[in-house]
Amino acid sequence: SLASTAITCFTRGLDLRKEIEDVLCPANCPLWQFYVFGDGIYASLSSICGAAIHRGVITNAGGAVRVQTLPGQENYPAVNANGIQSQVLTRWASSFSVTRSKNTVLEAVGRSVSTARPSTGKRPKKPLDKKAGNKDCKADIAFLIDGSYNIGQRRFNLQKNFVGKVAVMLGIGTEGPHVGVVQASEHPKIEFYLKNFTAAKEVLFAIKELGFRGGNSNTGKALKHTAQKFFSLENGARKGIPKIIVVFLDGWPSDDIEEAGIVAREFGVNVFIVSVAKPTTEELGMVQDIGFVDKAVCRNNGFFSYQMPTWFGTTKYVKPLVQKLCSHEQMLCSKTCYNSVNIGFLIDGSSSVGESNFRLMLEFISNVAKAFEISDIGSKIAAVQFTYDQRTEFSFTDYTTKEKVLSAIRNIRYMSGGTATGDAISFTTRNVFGPMKDGPNKNFLLVLTDGQSYDDVRGPAAAAQKAGITVFSVGIAWAPLDDLKDMASEPRESHTFFTREFTGLEQMVPDIIRAICKDFLDSRQ
């Protein structure tokens, strides 16, 4: 059939089932709400209608668009076009392109239904592994629901309904999002944890069964409790997956929420606030802190707060909220030094090192790498060995798990030869860090050497720093202090390390990790 499928402003490439699909975009989508990644070839996380306007296929008056599914790629660029600023994305598993739809005959028919919900019945089901869920949505989510007298029994049930719809649309599954629920009232109660259910059906049932508690809306107390207790590994939180708390608030909190917001940020948790029925002008006198939303959310940038006028007719609010929760690159509070850095190791393979000392260097590198959360959306590791020549042992995109990185480090073979450290720094800046330069992570280069370089190190190190790479120099044995200082980033003292013996490398590991984290935090201020 050639009929166009009516879609909403928020339908993403990954929501479509066919390789080539004709869709109809509605008119008057709010441009600023579009999430678009790339230019011409868009990450499938992008809004289809947003991409079509960005590409100039349609205007904001809507219309027919043909969507072609394409393989994933790296480094989707950010480009401003037709009123939409697309965003950078380092890597995504699938893409799509948009062109003008061929079947204009049906456009008139299609137009009339463009305000209707997307037709779900006619689509062939995607051979989706139902158990796995939506793998593109990386999130561990606690829904903190309002169980206070403010909301009352009737609206409490509408709230449960809404949370259920959000849970279903998220695509819960073993490899997709996991959710749990906490009820805020006088005292917080964790109703179920992330590990309790991994299927949407079970979650829906559990939400339906929730009983209304009543009492004051001590949201601050509940938020703090959730941030501290809910996301432990034994309760099902997963390493390297963003932690999110969605706070539903009918009216306003009866306690202080600011401190809870600070605690959540310290724990690396992203707080969203969905406020329903904001306090009216007459009620403002009863609210102890009018700016309660801004103080609790992860960042006060508009992304983490969401408003619904009432609990009635909330269906249209489900999808935009789900899209926010699945945008892992927007989860600013998840970014810690452990999961947001690229560390490149430049390893001296010259003949003065010797096989057994070379092994000690590899052990040192493993121990540094081990401290970081390595994943496709987390930290990344690369290694280059140099003599007069350079050899990329593995690049940042080769291995996305800690096990694979550590095994790759173990398998590095000692080259033996001369020492051209300057050339090696230039090679690494260009070939290893070059492809990562627009990515979200902060870049670090650790240069390990045991001797004098035959070439100039100052120029190449300055160029690396100019390219946004923080350079640490780690010298052993005969490495001259002048060379080490010339390579290191400012302040040079805190970026230069030295040990007489190769066996002294082990003691340096915690200091190096601490130094990387300090730089990371300083760069965020």
Side-chain angles (χ1 to χ4, degrees):
S1 88
L2 280 170
S4 299
T5 310
I7 60 172
T8 71
C9 302
F10 300 105
T11 307
R12 300 170 298 177
L14 52 86
D15 298 323
L16 296 187
R17 301 286 181 265
K18 300 183 201 150
E19 190 139 333
I20 294 181
E21 188 147 358
D22 289 306
V23 299
L24 247 151
C25 287
N28 306 323
C29 289
L31 292 188
W32 54 273
Q33 281 188 357
F34 280 131
Y35 280 100
V36 177
F37 303 90
D39 179 34
I41 290 177
Y42 301 96
S44 60
L45 189 64
S46 311
S47 145
I48 294 169
C49 300
I53 295 172
H54 184 266
R55 192 74 182 138
V57 172
I58 55 169
T59 65
N60 207 17
V65 177
R66 174 161 285 189
V67 185
Q68 162 106 37
T69 305
L70 300 167
Q73 60 168 48
E74 290 181 8
N75 303 321
Y76 295 89
V79 174
N80 199 331
N82 301 317
I84 292 178
Q85 171 65 57
S86 76
Q87 302 182 47
V88 166
L89 192 56
T90 321
R91 195 208 264 132
W92 198 251
S94 55
S95 318
F96 66 87
S97 63
V98 283
T99 49
R100 284 194 177 75
S101 196
K102 300 292 173 287
N103 50 339
T104 37
V105 199
L106 292 151
E107 209 176 306
V109 193
R111 264 282 157 75
S112 60
V113 298
S114 70
T115 46
R117 304 261 299 280
S119 67
T120 41
K122 322 231 176 354
R123 275 194 206 154
K125 273 279 177 279
K126 194 180 186 180
L128 194 112
D129 173 3
K130 221 22 218 276
K131 280 201 187 69
N134 178 8
K135 296 181 193 167
D136 284 332
C137 183
K138 306 257 197 278
D140 280 345
I141 304 170
F143 291 113
L144 180 51
I145 60 173
D146 189 338
S148 68
Y149 290 137
N150 271 0
I151 191 169
Q153 179 76 58
R154 178 183 178 204
R155 292 193 309 234
F156 180 77
N157 288 335
L158 291 171
Q159 173 184 229
K160 289 202 308 190
N161 249 344
F162 179 76
V163 172
K165 284 180 185 162
V166 171
V168 168
M169 190 170 258
L170 277 167
I172 294 165
T174 49
E175 294 174 56
H178 292 180
V179 306
V181 171
V182 182
Q183 186 172 169
S185 51
E186 196 67 48
H187 304 292
K189 178 180 184 222
I190 296 180
E191 302 280 4
F192 58 90
Y193 286 103
L194 296 164
K195 64 172 181 198
N196 295 126
F197 311 109
T198 53
K201 264 208 195 82
E202 302 169 344
V203 168
L204 259 183
F205 185 72
I207 290 171
K208 280 209 176 72
E209 295 292 295
L210 296 175
F212 174 59
R213 293 169 67 83
N216 279 321
S217 62
N218 289 331
T219 313
K221 184 177 177 181
L223 177 55
K224 191 171 167 183
H225 180 75
T226 309
Q228 290 170 326
K229 302 277 187 291
F230 182 84
F231 293 100
S232 65
L233 294 172
E234 57 271 24
N235 289 329
R238 295 168 291 176
K239 274 208 167 101
I241 301 282
K243 306 177 182 53
I244 299 172
I245 300 177
V246 184
V247 180
F248 290 94
L249 242 179
D250 187 301
W252 58 91
S254 31
D255 62 349
D256 172 48
I257 199 168
E258 184 171 9
E259 189 209 346
I262 294 168
V263 169
R265 289 191 287 275
E266 282 174 357
F267 274 85
V269 174
N270 300 274
V271 176
F272 282 79
I273 293 207
V274 177
S275 45
V276 185
K278 295 196 309 204
T280 60
T281 328
E282 298 85 272
E283 289 172 328
L284 281 175
M286 310 180 208
V287 183
Q288 64 164 352
D289 183 355
I290 295 170
F292 66 85
V293 171
D294 290 346
K295 291 185 176 159
V297 288
C298 160
R299 285 278 194 292
N300 183 4
N301 62 0
F303 183 76
F304 294 94
S305 49
Y306 198 67
Q307 278 178 5
M308 301 197 295
T310 71
W311 286 109
F312 297 93
T314 53
T315 304
K316 62 174 175 293
Y317 293 98
V318 173
K319 190 154 199 174
L321 179 60
V322 167
Q323 284 192 296
K324 283 180 182 248
L325 299 180
C326 290
S327 306
H328 67 251
E329 64 299 321
Q330 305 278 343
M331 299 300 162
L332 302 174
C333 290
S334 303
K335 299 219 175 284
T336 64
C337 121
Y338 297 106
N339 64 20
S340 305
V341 297
N342 298 325
I343 305 172
F345 293 97
L346 185 51
I347 314 158
D348 186 339
S350 62
S351 38
S352 52
V353 174
E355 182 75 51
S356 62
N357 286 336
F358 187 74
R359 291 283 131 211
L360 289 172
M361 282 184 359
L362 295 183
E363 214 160 283
F364 164 80
I365 291 168
S366 293
N367 288 334
V368 173
K370 224 178 255 167
F372 294 87
E373 292 165 30
I374 300 162
S375 76
D376 55 344
I377 60 171
S379 289
K380 298 179 176 61
I381 307 288
V384 173
Q385 185 179 171
F386 71 97
T387 54
Y388 280 142
D389 278 329
Q390 305 84 28
R391 182 168 78 198
T392 303
E393 301 290 356
F394 55 92
S395 73
F396 287 120
T397 48
D398 286 344
Y399 303 112
T400 51
T401 68
K402 194 178 294 191
E403 295 68 50
K404 286 185 175 151
V405 164
L406 295 176
S407 122
I409 294 171
R410 272 197 303 276
N411 290 326
I412 293 176
R413 297 280 158 262
Y414 174 45
M415 282 162 77
S416 187
T419 315
T421 315
D423 265 358
I425 293 173
S426 301
F427 172 88
T428 308
T429 304
R430 189 174 59 246
N431 297 318
V432 178
F433 285 98
M436 309 305 285
K437 82 171 180 307
D438 297 322
N441 289 0
K442 186 164 168 50
N443 291 316
F444 291 91
L445 173 63
L446 266 65
V447 184
L448 277 85
T449 179
D450 81 325
Q452 173 96 46
S453 176
Y454 293 118
D455 61 1
D456 166 59
V457 294
R458 187 176 298 181
Q465 291 164 33
K466 204 170 159 196
I469 302 164
T470 303
V471 182
F472 283 94
S473 56
V474 180
I476 310 125
W478 304 107
L481 202 57
D482 288 347
D483 270 15
L484 298 175
K485 284 226 167 88
D486 281 344
M487 290 188 281
S489 287
E490 299 282 352
R492 296 182 192 275
E493 280 58 50
S494 58
H495 292 83
T496 307
F497 291 83
F498 180 77
T499 169
R500 276 261 155 264
E501 306 290 333
F502 281 87
T503 47
L505 282 170
E506 202 180 337
Q507 284 94 15
M508 274 186 207
V509 171
D511 297 336
I512 299 247
I513 293 164
R514 212 167 292 127
I516 290 172
C517 285
K518 183 182 182 319
D519 279 356
F520 175 81
L521 285 171
D522 291 348
S523 75
R524 307 291 304 222
Q525 296 313 319

